[in-house]
Amino acid sequence: MKRFYVASSFKNIDTVRYVSNELKNKGYIQTYDWTQNERVSTVEDLKEIGQKERNAVLEADFIIVLLPAGKGSHIEFGIALGQGKRIYLYSQDDEVNKFETTSTFYHLPEVKKCIGTIAELIAAVTE
């Protein structure tokens, strides 16, 4: 279980890169680095990136979802869930357990919730 994909929103791009680099330094393989994409301006660009991201989720042994995340990240979450992959759901605070902000899918057994620091997330993934 060494291949991974990190899903999140553009506002978390630095954290996505940090987590990805930490895992790669520990011998893990990133299936796709969406942070290298520029902002797109056409539907064709969206289609191409969507195919790459879908394939990356399918090729990954596990995915990490860094909250807050957008609709694309939640679709990637759903693809991984449908494929029976391990999902690490990261939140700096306890929003994943607050009834007003949670999702039913966050609480399934395939989802390992990681609440706290990025260092704690990396430790949970690599243990």
Side-chain angles (χ1 to χ4, degrees), residues 57 63 65 72-84 87 105:
V57 171
I63 74 162
V65 179
S73 300
H74 283 85
I75 291 168
E76 293 160 345
F77 179 105
I79 293 168
L81 190 62
Q83 293 292 310
I87 300 167
F105 299 103

Side-chain angles (χ1 to χ4, degrees), residues 52-63:
K52 289 178 181 178
E53 290 178 348
R54 180 197 59 209
N55 291 342
V57 171
L58 293 173
E59 292 170 11
D61 297 311
F62 65 91
I63 74 162

